[in-house]
Amino acid sequence: MSQSVGVSYPATNASDIVRLPIAFPDIDQQQKIAAFLDRKTAEIDTLIAKKRRLLDRLAEKRTALITRAVTKGLNPDAPMKESGIEWLGEIPAHWETGVPIKYLVTMSGGMTPSTSNPLYWDGDIPWVSPKDMKKTELSDAQDHVTDLALSATGLNLIEPGSVLIVVRGMILVHSFPVAINRVPVVLNQDMKALKVGPRLSPEYFALLLRAITDVMLALVETSAHGTKALRTDRWKELVIALPPIDEQDGIVTQVEKVVAGLDSLENATSRTIEKLEEYRSALITNTVTGQIRVA
């Protein structure tokens, strides 16, 4: 029910609501309905809580799997050596160590073309900003710029296969988004693109950066304006261990296979939670409207 009284949009007054006629059972039946719903919804809530805990365990398992694979390799029997890197510990003896990131990648940044110039916007080139970094692979962005914006400003076209990271923004309080672009893109000023050299696989490097999120977040500082920033001169000095390139590819393949299985289980669990929540809502509605009889 909606009415418009002196306004241009549908509205219902509280005084109208209290005058609505309703049907309700006697007090004894009301108490039985309340007890029934308390019991049933508690059972459903317990199931939902168990499913949410399962989602948490799956997320933890994914993180542990990736971290183990990119820092220790896939062979549990491989001879190990000390990496000399405090956060890394032991690594396979045949891995190269003590390699700063700055020697393995080249970096590109981005900018925001003037928003007052409509000729720069609504083109075909994806303009990636932190809000797009919710996926591990990017084939598009929410905003797009034109060829004119690319030629008339300081934007750099980032070729596919680059590792994109967020280096400024409040998301760095708790997360370090990493993605690989699968199409040419440009970036805003809060992003960096890392083009890897021949000794590093972009897919492996992206996995590694996600695995060391805590290490990267420890380098985040607060700028004069209060936002969070990951200073380039600090993270580019970070030393990592480097498996042979063919082993990097093998690690990526194995991780993707196992993660796909975890993703499938996560999706199924999330769908179950949605169905349980829908069932809970329908149970309450159907019970209080008399469609389910409570003895």
Side-chain angles (χ1 to χ4, degrees):
M1 182 193 78
S2 64
Q3 298 178 352
S4 297
V5 181
V7 294
S8 59
Y9 56 87
T12 300
N13 294 322
S15 58
D16 294 326
I17 295 176
V18 299
R19 288 197 295 268
L20 286 174
I22 61 171
F24 56 89
D26 59 43
I27 192 67
D28 180 64
Q29 187 65 18
Q30 291 178 41
Q31 291 173 340
K32 289 181 179 179
I33 290 173
F36 170 80
L37 288 176
D38 284 345
R39 185 175 67 255
K40 289 298 185 182
T41 56
E43 293 173 357
I44 297 170
D45 289 344
T46 298
L47 287 174
I48 290 174
K50 288 181 179 179
K51 295 298 182 182
R52 293 196 186 282
R53 287 196 295 272
L54 175 58
L55 287 179
D56 291 339
R57 290 196 296 271
L58 290 172
E60 292 170 359
K61 185 174 183 179
R62 175 191 286 102
T63 299
L65 164 73
I66 294 173
T67 301
R68 168 74 192 184
V70 300
T71 60
K72 308 298 180 186
L74 299 176
N75 181 7
D77 300 320
M80 307 294 283
K81 68 179 180 182
E82 281 295 332
S83 66
I85 305 170
E86 183 178 355
W87 57 265
L88 186 55
E90 288 190 334
I91 59 172
H94 64 285
W95 286 17
E96 187 179 357
T97 188
V99 185
I101 290 177
K102 66 182 179 180
Y103 295 130
L104 299 170
V105 305
T106 55
M107 183 181 66
S108 300
M111 61 165 293
T112 300
S114 173
T115 54
S116 63
N117 188 342
L119 297 179
Y120 288 164
W121 296 93
D122 296 326
D124 297 322
I125 305 171
W127 180 74
V128 178
S129 65
K131 65 185 177 184
D132 298 302
M133 297 286 285
K134 298 179 178 66
K135 299 179 180 179
T136 58
E137 297 191 358
L138 296 180
S139 298
D140 203 354
Q142 294 186 37
D143 301 298
H144 300 77
V145 298
T146 61
D147 290 327
L148 177 62
L150 187 62
S151 62
T153 70
L155 283 172
N156 298 307
L157 190 65
I158 308 301
E159 62 182 87
S162 299
V163 178
L164 311 182
I165 63 174
V166 177
V167 296
R168 185 166 50 243
M170 295 311 294
I171 194 171
L172 295 174
V173 171
H174 54 78
S175 302
F176 178 58
V178 180
I180 296 177
N181 63 309
R182 296 305 182 188
V183 297
V185 301
V186 293
L187 308 177
N188 91 334
Q189 63 276 6
D190 297 329
M191 305 280 304
K192 295 293 183 186
L194 309 178
K195 177 67 176 176
V196 303
R199 300 163 65 196
L200 192 58
S201 154
E203 288 77 15
Y204 175 82
F205 188 45
L207 281 179
L208 175 63
L209 290 178
R210 293 188 199 104
I212 62 172
T213 288
D214 289 344
V215 176
M216 300 299 285
L217 292 182
L219 301 176
V220 171
E221 300 178 351
T222 303
S223 71
H225 300 290
T227 191
K228 299 297 181 179
L230 183 61
R231 280 176 37 187
T232 299
D233 61 336
R234 296 193 66 190
W235 64 260
K236 286 188 73 175
E237 295 295 333
L238 193 67
V239 173
I240 64 173
L242 202 61
I245 192 70
D246 59 339
E247 189 171 350
Q248 294 177 36
D249 293 338
I251 289 171
V252 170
T253 298
Q254 182 63 22
V255 167
E256 287 179 345
K257 183 185 302 183
V258 177
V259 166
L262 293 176
D263 286 345
S264 178
L265 186 53
E266 273 191 354
N267 291 335
T269 303
S270 295
R271 288 194 297 271
T272 299
I273 291 173
E274 290 176 3
K275 290 178 181 179
L276 285 170
E277 290 174 337
E278 290 171 359
Y279 173 64
R280 186 184 192 280
S281 178
L283 177 67
I284 294 171
T285 299
N286 293 336
T287 302
V288 299
T289 58
Q291 298 178 59
I292 294 178
R293 294 185 61 84
V294 178

